[in-house]
Each structure stands twice: as C-alpha cells, then as structure tokens.
Amino acid sequence: MFTKGNLFKNCWKGAAIIARSTIGKIRGTYDQLSRTEKKVAQLALDNPAVVSEMTIKELASATGVSTATISRFVKRMDYSNYREFTMALAHTAAEMTPQQNSFPELAEGDSLATIANKTFRFSINSLRATNEALNEDDLARAVIKIINAKTVAFFGLGGSAVAALDGYHKFLRTPLNVTYHPDYDIQLMQAARMTAQDCAIVISHSGRNHETLEIVRELKRNGVAIIVITSYSGSELAQAAAVTFLSLTDEVKYRSEGMYSLISQMTILDSLFMMTVLRSSSRTKPVLTRVRDVIEQTRYDS
Amino acid sequence: MFTKGNLFKNCWKGAAIIARSTIGKIRGTYDQLSRTEKKVAQLALDNPAVVSEMTIKELASATGVSTATISRFVKRMDYSNYREFTMALAHTAAEMTPQQNSFPELAEGDSLATIANKTFRFSINSLRATNEALNEDDLARAVIKIINAKTVAFFGLGGSAVAALDGYHKFLRTPLNVTYHPDYDIQLMQAARMTAQDCAIVISHSGRNHETLEIVRELKRNGVAIIVITSYSGSELAQAAAVTFLSLTDEVKYRSEGMYSLISQMTILDSLFMMTVLRSSSRTKPVLTRVRDVIEQTRYDS
DNA sequence: TTGAAATGTGAAACTTCTTTTCATATAATA
DNA sequence: TATTATATGAAAAGAAGTTTCACATTTCAA
C-alpha cells in the first residue's frame, strides 16, 4: 500500500541525490570505473540529455555493453535503480542548458509559438512594471473619490475605448452609478453634465488625443474629480488629474500604439474595482451576487 | 509574403523547440477528462515533483485508480509512454520556481497596495497559465484560417464583448476585412451572412451563454471556420470550433465571472494579431503605417 | 421510461524493461 | 602455474508498463 509517509521518504531520498549533480558524481568516480563502465560514463557525460531519455537497452547497444553492466554501473553511482539515474541526469542536464536569455524583439523568422511566448512575456513585463509604479497613496485617494461619487463615468476613445468599456462592465457589479458611451459626442455631453460630486475615470494611452483633452477640459470646468490612466506622466492629461496612474510598457517595434499598455490599464481598473468591492463590501456584496445571478440566467444549465 | 509551405516549415521548427509544458497540457485538457482521470491530473498538478518520481503503480495506489487508467491518461496527454510523461513532468516542475504557483486569496483586511499587488499577481499567473496551454499546431491552423478569410468577424457578448471589441480594434490595423458589432441581434445577422470563405473568432468565458451558442450554430450551418477563445474546453462552444484556445485562470472568491480570463483572452488575440502581421508582413506593413498616421492626426503634436 | 450505443473502468494477460544470477573470461598474485 | 579476485554477458527472474477484454455507467434517441 502506498502512504504519505512513503511518499515523502521517496521525496527525501531523491533530494539527497540531487544535492550533488549527477555529472559531477560520474566525473568524480570516473577513474575508479572499469573499461566498459567508462564507455557508459563517457556517453552520459557527453550527452546527458540524450542518455536521460534512453532505456537501459538502448544505452546498452549505444555503448556496446550489456544491460547488466549498466545496471551495476548506476548502482555504483549510488542510485537505487536505472530510472532514478536517468531522472537525475535529466534534471542536471536541464539545469546546464543555457538559460533563456532576456527578451529580444519579435522577428519575422520567429515560429508561431515563439511569437505567442514573446507576446505573453511582454504583457507580463508590462503588468509587472505597472504594478511597481503604483503607490498606496494614489490608490487610497482614488478609491475614496470612487466610493463617494454620485456617479462614476468612464471616458476613453480609440484603443482606450476597450479599457473604458471594461471598467464600465466591472463597476456595473457594484452599487455605484456608472456610465460609459463609446461615442465621442456623447462622452463630451456626459462630461458637461457632471459636477464636483462625481468622479471621472479617463483612459488614454498617449494622453494627447484631441478629443480626450477636450473632455478633460470640460470636466475640469465643472470641478469633477478626475482619475487618469495613461502611459505618459508628462502629458496635459496627467497634469489635469487629481490622481494619475501610469501603465508602463517597453515600447516595441510594430507596437507603438500602446497595445500592451491596454492590459496594464485594465488591470489598474481591476485593482480599483477590487478595492472598491473590498472597502465597501457589506454594501456591495448583495449587488455582486445579484449581477452574477443575472449572468447565470443566460446560460442553459446550472 | 507568406505561403502555406513557409508557415508549416516554421511551424515544425517551433514545435520541436517549444514543447507545451506538461502542466499547461494537463490544465488545458482538464475538463475533458473523466472523473478518475481528473484524480490523476489533480495530483500531478498539485505535486508535479513528487509524482514525477513515482512508478505507475505508486501513482495508481496514491490516486486509487488502476494502472491501466493512468497509462491511458498519459497517452491522452500525447506522451508515448509513462516514462516520457514523468520525465516531462519533472522537467516542468523543475522550471517552476516556488513563488510562481502561489495564488493567495484576497482578504478584506488587505491594504490597498496589497489588493493591487495580488490583482496584478493573479493576472500575471493567468497569462502564464494561458501561455503554457497554447500549442503551435492550434496557432498555425488559426493563423491560416485568419489570413485566408475573406472576412474576419468577432463575436462576444457580455464581458467578452470587451475582448471582441479589442480584437476588432487590433485587426483593423491589418488589411483584412474585419467586423464587429456589440449588439446581439446584429451579431446574429452577421453570422447568418457569413460563408465557408470567412472566419469567425468567438469569445466566451463560460462557453455556455445562450446567445453566443445561437450565433455559433448559425456559423456552423454556414460552414464558417470558427476559432473559439474560452475558459472551458469541454463546453459545446469549444466542441463546435475548428480551433479552440483556452484562457486559463484560477478561480477566486468574488471573481466567478472570469474577469482574469479577459486579459488572457486579449493576449491570445494579441498573439494572433502579431502572428498575422509577421506572417504577412510585406502586405500588411503599409496598412499598419497608414493606420498609425491616422491616429497621429488626432493628436496635437507628433 | 427503456433499450441501444458509446464511453469509462479495472483485472488480468501480455509486453517490455531492469535486475540478478551464474558461468565464463581475464587479470593479478604468490 | 595454480589460485584468487574481478569483470563481463547471457539468460533467468523480477518489475514496470501496456493492452485486451468483459463489465459498469452514461448518453441519447425512440
């Protein structure tokens, strides 16, 4: 029967062996080995990754010795069986392979999987950078403004419309009054209707889009609390804001339109949403549940 | 210029180099597995390092299933035998640093900065998991369908409307004919107008939204190539697709509506976009530049 | 419901892989 | 040269892993 105790015992046994690299162990024992065993050792040293995938038979015929000799060889190396030996060999082989170097540009020759991997890596890096740039103080001021607002309106045009829509969607799950419309003219009218009791969340990658600035000026005239999410702290947009959050990203060839910043912006919005929920949870939770129920109804089961 | 031959050549090269991670593979197949197989998958996900050292019998008694089932399980995961599976598992287990798999819950007592940090962590983990579940083969098939389509239409309702809008926005930068409308009825009409020469990209977190399924059925009737982005590989939606991409995320308290999956979905779209651009770059680049110029005009300085 | 058909499952037969035994060869020593 | 220690491979024995087969369960159409 197999028990947890057993499980952990095996685990430790393995750990003890891994402590010293397999290859080091072979090197260290090398001259104590017999002539045939040296052939095995040599192949394992030269090609650890390949050998680690071989069965004992394959290794036997590859080295021209019997399986018996190999079995004895691994025992002499202090492994309890051949399987343990190949696992350990694979392990050290993996550690030795050159580490993935830091991330270069996307290139036309890249395989599809490479393109995908790089895209994900870039996104992850953007999130990390954005996360590091956040500070408690800004977050606190933003959450207070959001929670106390009579209405929270989202503004975003072009690429940032996606983020604004996302923010609107998320905050629909709270009891707050939220507003968003994709059309510029309507956004501008909405801005004109707002007051000092309201809160505006404005998203713009560059911070220098004409129309977005027009909206911000209108908001400012009305004394609305403005929270800005942008990639450039120096822009007029950032200057006008009560609180500015920066979405940071390494700009890349083909990508000057801030595609990576989008997910950073959305994750900032997500953070704001989570804070709002957790800071006003007793008031919000019932609404959250109700929204969830509505969504469930559009599904054909459960 | 890109050709099919070219695509496949690169495709194979990539496939050989970047194997999909074992854990990603298990996660991606998880809900297609049977009840007993899930037990095996669960233990492998929870304890990859320990499982990788077990014999098939040990794993069988640890999970309470037969060795036969496990043998079939690893074949289903595309490994040629159990040994290959444990080797691969050991390999990916070694690559994962301990900090990467911790998914802390959000708690009401958390400071604002902590909430933000956790939110970003969750997002990063979702991206990582999603990335691991991608495979070259699916990517290649999707890109071919997109590049050769007369029209590429995006479909997404509710929360997924954000992702669909984002995809539409991105692909506007390519010379492809793209289409998206937020309204369900119009999406349905659009689906009815499409043919076997077209390609549909359908996004749905749960894969079981009534309306989305209605659209997919209409698309299917017309023989449209369907690319699905969803979080559940077992859904009817996923079954109907020519290619399915999974956005993976650990579900969390307060978050059952797949908010984290959104950025994963968007990054999948982003990857598809980048592939499309790079695989057809000489044709696309002029258009990309033209779009950029249009955006520049809406700014007050360059 | 009910009865195919499809799918999932474990026991056991079977295959393949690994270890041990044993007979023999080789080298070292007195 | 005889004796002893050591090394080696063939083959038997033993483990590990895979496949088959019969039975159980689920699905789905009537």
Side-chain angles (χ1 to χ4, degrees), chain A residues 276-289:
Chain A
T276 307
V277 170
L278 289 170
R279 277 291 174 273
S280 54
S281 55
S282 48
R283 221 176 74 196
T284 306
K285 267 179 190 155
V287 179
L288 256 185
T289 315

Side-chain angles (χ1 to χ4, degrees), chain A:
Chain A
M1 196 58 202
F2 191 84
T3 65
K4 264 196 185 165
N6 220 328
L7 196 71
F8 283 118
K9 205 175 64 196
N10 280 323
C11 179
W12 278 115
K13 201 172 58 185
I17 285 157
I18 290 163
R20 190 178 162 201
S21 110
T22 313
I23 287 172
K25 207 183 277 184
I26 297 174
R27 282 225 185 84
T29 337
Y30 193 81
D31 350 275
Q32 291 164 38
L33 298 175
S34 69
R35 191 174 39 78
T36 40
E37 283 178 329
K38 272 183 183 148
K39 283 195 273 183
V40 180
Q42 198 59 58
L43 194 65
L45 287 174
D46 292 347
N47 263 314
V50 177
V51 170
S52 75
E53 312 233 298
M54 289 178 165
T55 67
I56 200 168
K57 271 189 191 170
E58 287 168 339
L59 182 54
S61 65
T63 51
V65 305
S66 70
T67 60
T69 299
I70 292 170
S71 182
R72 279 189 293 259
F73 166 77
V74 302
K75 296 247 157 69
R76 200 192 286 224
M77 292 288 143
D78 258 351
Y79 295 99
S80 61
N81 56 41
Y82 181 74
R83 191 164 179 268
E84 199 172 81
F85 167 75
T86 52
M87 296 285 291
L89 197 59
H91 204 273
T92 49
E95 273 177 1
M96 285 170 51
T97 49
Q99 290 302 321
Q100 300 170 345
N101 23 0
S102 64
F103 237 65
E105 291 261 313
L106 275 164
E108 290 200 18
D110 285 347
S111 77
L112 295 176
T114 305
I115 296 173
N117 289 342
K118 286 185 180 176
T119 305
F120 276 84
R121 273 280 267 290
F122 279 131
S123 297
I124 288 171
N125 286 339
S126 300
L127 287 178
R128 238 187 233 126
T130 301
N131 184 204
E132 277 165 14
L134 293 176
N135 70 72
E136 179 96 29
D137 207 51
D138 289 341
L139 295 171
R141 285 189 296 137
V143 171
I144 288 173
K145 285 185 200 316
I146 291 170
I147 288 176
N148 295 331
K150 265 171 67 180
T151 302
V152 177
F154 293 86
F155 298 94
L157 297 166
S160 301
V162 175
L165 177 61
D166 178 53
Y168 172 66
H169 241 110
K170 287 197 170 93
F171 278 84
L172 273 179
R173 291 172 165 83
T174 69
L176 298 167
N177 278 318
V178 287
T179 281
Y180 168 73
H181 200 282
D183 190 75
Y184 165 62
D185 294 310
I186 296 181
Q187 285 191 24
L188 194 57
M189 285 190 272
Q190 175 65 34
R193 288 163 53 93
M194 294 177 80
T195 73
Q197 272 80 58
D198 300 323
C199 175
I201 299 180
V202 182
I203 303 144
S204 168
H205 168 61
S206 69
R208 8 176 269 229
N209 175 293
H210 274 311
E211 282 81 13
T212 306
L213 286 170
E214 204 52 62
I215 289 168
V216 167
R217 288 187 200 110
E218 185 62 40
L219 290 167
K220 213 149 193 213
R221 257 195 294 282
N222 296 339
V224 181
I226 304 174
I227 298 170
V228 159
I229 301 178
T230 182
S231 299
Y232 300 96
S233 58
S235 63
E236 181 186 333
L237 183 67
Q239 302 305 317
V243 187
T244 304
F245 295 110
L246 290 177
S247 57
L248 296 174
T249 176
D250 302 281
E251 282 299 329
V252 179
K253 200 178 168 189
Y254 297 123
R255 304 306 296 269
S256 58
E257 296 321 320
M259 295 196 198
Y260 291 118
S261 65
L262 187 54
I263 68 157
S264 293
Q265 290 162 0
M266 286 171 55
T267 310
I268 292 171
L269 286 168
D270 207 359
S271 300
L272 290 174
F273 166 75
M274 287 312 301
M275 291 169 197
T276 307
V277 170
L278 289 170
R279 277 291 174 273
S280 54
S281 55
S282 48
R283 221 176 74 196
T284 306
K285 267 179 190 155
V287 179
L288 256 185
T289 315
R290 234 181 301 133
V291 172
R292 201 172 293 170
D293 291 345
V294 171
I295 292 174
E296 275 305 318
Q297 282 165 26
T298 68
R299 297 185 182 161
Y300 64 80
D301 66 9
S302 92

Side-chain angles (χ1 to χ4, degrees), chain B:
Chain B
M1 203 59 203
F2 59 87
T3 65
K4 266 190 189 175
N6 217 330
L7 196 67
F8 280 122
K9 205 175 62 196
N10 282 322
C11 165
W12 280 115
K13 197 177 63 188
I17 292 163
I18 300 163
R20 185 185 189 187
S21 109
T22 312
I23 287 172
K25 211 183 273 186
I26 297 174
R27 278 225 186 91
T29 334
Y30 192 82
D31 41 44
Q32 286 169 32
L33 298 175
S34 66
R35 194 174 36 76
T36 39
E37 283 178 326
K38 272 184 185 150
K39 283 194 275 185
V40 181
Q42 196 60 57
L43 194 65
L45 286 174
D46 292 347
N47 258 314
V50 177
V51 170
S52 75
E53 313 233 298
M54 289 176 166
T55 66
I56 200 170
K57 277 188 190 166
E58 286 170 337
L59 182 54
S61 65
T63 51
V65 306
S66 71
T67 59
T69 299
I70 291 170
S71 182
R72 281 188 293 259
F73 167 77
V74 303
K75 296 242 154 69
R76 192 164 335 188
M77 293 289 143
D78 260 352
Y79 295 98
S80 59
N81 54 41
Y82 181 74
R83 193 160 176 270
E84 197 174 86
F85 167 75
T86 52
M87 296 283 292
L89 196 60
H91 205 271
T92 49
E95 272 178 2
M96 284 191 339
T97 58
Q99 45 126 18
Q100 284 177 355
N101 6 325
S102 56
F103 278 76
E105 283 268 317
L106 277 164
E108 290 200 18
D110 286 345
S111 76
L112 294 177
T114 305
I115 296 173
N117 288 343
K118 286 184 180 176
T119 305
F120 276 83
R121 271 272 279 291
F122 282 131
S123 297
I124 288 172
N125 285 334
S126 300
L127 286 178
R128 209 174 262 141
T130 301
N131 184 203
E132 274 173 9
L134 291 178
N135 72 74
E136 179 94 29
D137 207 50
D138 289 340
L139 295 171
R141 286 188 297 137
V143 171
I144 287 174
K145 286 185 200 315
I146 292 171
I147 288 176
N148 295 330
K150 265 172 68 178
T151 302
V152 177
F154 293 86
F155 298 94
L157 297 165
S160 302
V162 176
L165 176 61
D166 177 53
Y168 172 66
H169 242 109
K170 287 196 171 91
F171 278 84
L172 273 180
R173 292 171 164 82
T174 69
L176 298 166
N177 277 319
V178 288
T179 282
Y180 169 72
H181 199 282
D183 189 74
Y184 165 62
D185 293 310
I186 295 182
Q187 286 191 24
L188 194 56
M189 285 192 272
Q190 176 64 35
R193 289 164 52 91
M194 294 177 80
T195 73
Q197 272 79 56
D198 299 325
C199 176
I201 298 180
V202 182
I203 303 146
S204 168
H205 168 62
S206 70
R208 16 177 262 231
N209 174 293
H210 273 312
E211 283 81 14
T212 305
L213 285 170
E214 205 51 62
I215 288 170
V216 166
R217 287 186 202 111
E218 185 61 40
L219 290 168
K220 218 154 189 213
R221 260 194 291 282
N222 297 337
V224 180
I226 304 174
I227 297 170
V228 159
I229 301 177
T230 183
S231 299
Y232 299 96
S233 59
S235 63
E236 180 187 337
L237 184 65
Q239 301 305 317
V243 187
T244 303
F245 295 109
L246 291 177
S247 57
L248 296 174
T249 175
D250 297 79
E251 283 296 332
V252 179
K253 204 178 165 190
Y254 299 122
R255 305 306 296 269
S256 59
E257 296 322 321
M259 294 196 200
Y260 291 117
S261 66
L262 187 54
I263 68 156
S264 293
Q265 290 162 1
M266 287 171 55
T267 309
I268 291 170
L269 286 169
D270 207 358
S271 300
L272 290 175
F273 166 75
M274 288 311 300
M275 289 169 200
T276 307
V277 170
L278 288 170
R279 279 289 176 275
S280 55
S281 53
S282 48
R283 218 176 78 196
T284 307
K285 267 179 193 157
V287 179
L288 256 185
T289 315
R290 232 181 302 134
V291 172
R292 200 174 292 170
D293 291 345
V294 171
I295 293 172
E296 276 305 318
Q297 282 165 26
T298 67
R299 295 184 182 160
Y300 64 81
D301 63 11
S302 67

